[in-house]
Amino acid sequence: DAGVIQSPRHEVTEMGQEVTLRCKPISGHNSLFWYRQTMMRGLELLIYFNNNVPIDDSGMPEDRFSAKMPNASFSTLKIQPSEPRDSAVYFCASSLGTRARGLLGTQPQHFGDGTRLSIL
Amino acid sequence: KNEVEQSPQNLTAQEGEFITINCSYSVGISALHWLQQHPGGGIVSLFMLSSGKKKHGRLIATINIQEKHSSLHITASHPRDSAVYICAVRPWGGATNKLIFGTGTLLAVQP
């Protein structure tokens, strides 16, 4: 089975440029998560989708960040304009989520290999 | 104070030693995850548990819901176990499905 697929694996770009990170979740999973990992703050949730709908975007740092999930098999995280402090590893994860009480949140998340982003 | 705290932050062990990594949390949870991140960066889910104990190979995870505490044990440690181990909890209630992460424990197992 293919896992969560992220692209690109590495991205180096200059400050001010637009950056687009891509994620393909595991087929059949209906929850998708975008995380950012830095040395200072560890792993942080940026946004998560359930059935393609953004449920919680409280972790999105500012308006320069946006995320979309146009269909069940694809999501993007966009940074425009990018800044050096956005340099981090960005992970996408997916899981089979359900809103049924008692089962909510009891499915493991499967992580992609991450995108290592460097903004110069 | 972080909602999820891990100890120790760094751990160096000799091959063959029994290792314990601890995780304490301050919120009500529906599940707790142990994740492993190797130097290459990939994150793997090791365990997800909401009560009791789970075992997979040389790894054992336990949780005490009343005490809001979990431990990850590695028996007969091996250099390939060297990685960052991350504890994450899923808060109980509401419609949220998000995880709150600890800062991780860096384990180095020396031959």
Side-chain angles (χ1 to χ4, degrees):
Chain A
D1 276 348
V4 175
I5 300 172
Q6 289 187 246
S7 64
R9 288 297 308 276
H10 303 273
E11 175 90 14
V12 180
T13 192
E14 291 186 340
M15 182 175 69
Q17 296 297 307
E18 178 179 291
V19 173
T20 300
L21 311 181
R22 296 173 177 81
C23 176
K24 177 176 165 51
I26 292 174
S27 178
H29 283 188
N30 60 350
S31 291
L32 183 139
F33 308 81
W34 282 103
Y35 295 97
R36 178 173 66 177
Q37 185 179 40
T38 62
M39 288 292 291
M40 291 294 294
R41 301 169 68 95
L43 269 166
E44 303 172 281
L45 177 69
L46 299 177
I47 185 171
Y48 100 85
F49 295 84
N50 192 53
N51 294 324
N52 311 340
V53 176
I55 301 299
D56 185 344
D57 65 355
S58 58
M60 295 286 264
E62 48 195 277
D63 291 345
R64 296 184 298 106
F65 286 69
S66 62
K68 294 182 179 179
M69 192 164 186
N71 57 62
S73 59
F74 184 66
S75 176
T76 59
L77 177 68
K78 190 171 293 188
I79 309 172
Q80 167 63 20
S82 57
E83 296 183 4
R85 60 193 167 119
D86 302 330
S87 299
V89 181
Y90 290 80
F91 287 98
C92 176
S94 71
S95 74
L96 186 59
T98 173
R99 287 180 173 267
R101 192 91 179 156
L103 293 177
L104 182 65
T106 59
Q107 301 302 315
Q109 293 185 16
H110 299 259
F111 286 77
D113 289 336
T115 294
R116 188 172 296 275
L117 178 63
S118 297
I119 308 297
L120 306 178
Chain B
K1 191 178 188 305
N2 293 335
E3 291 170 299
V4 181
E5 302 228 338
Q6 289 185 235
S7 64
Q9 287 189 325
N10 295 280
L11 180 58
T12 300
Q14 292 299 122
E15 184 172 356
E17 284 185 5
F18 180 83
I19 289 165
T20 296
I21 300 170
N22 295 299
C23 175
S24 296
Y25 52 92
S26 57
V27 297
I29 68 169
S30 60
L32 181 144
H33 296 249
W34 281 103
L35 308 171
Q36 180 191 57
Q37 186 172 28
H38 275 285
I43 297 175
V44 176
S45 178
L46 297 175
F47 294 104
M48 185 187 65
L49 65 167
S50 55
S51 66
K53 180 168 81 172
K54 287 190 176 181
K55 184 177 189 291
H56 185 257
R58 296 180 294 106
L59 301 178
I60 303 167
T62 64
I63 188 169
N64 185 318
I65 295 294
Q66 287 73 31
E67 295 185 3
K68 291 186 165 65
H69 180 268
S70 176
S71 293
L72 177 68
H73 306 284
I74 305 175
T75 62
S77 60
H78 190 276
R80 64 174 176 266
D81 297 327
S82 300
V84 176
Y85 291 84
I86 303 169
C87 171
V89 302
R90 196 186 305 272
W92 179 258
T96 186
N97 199 26
K98 62 184 180 184
L99 295 176
I100 302 174
F101 294 89
T103 53
T105 295
L106 176 60
L107 171 65
V109 181
Q110 297 177 341

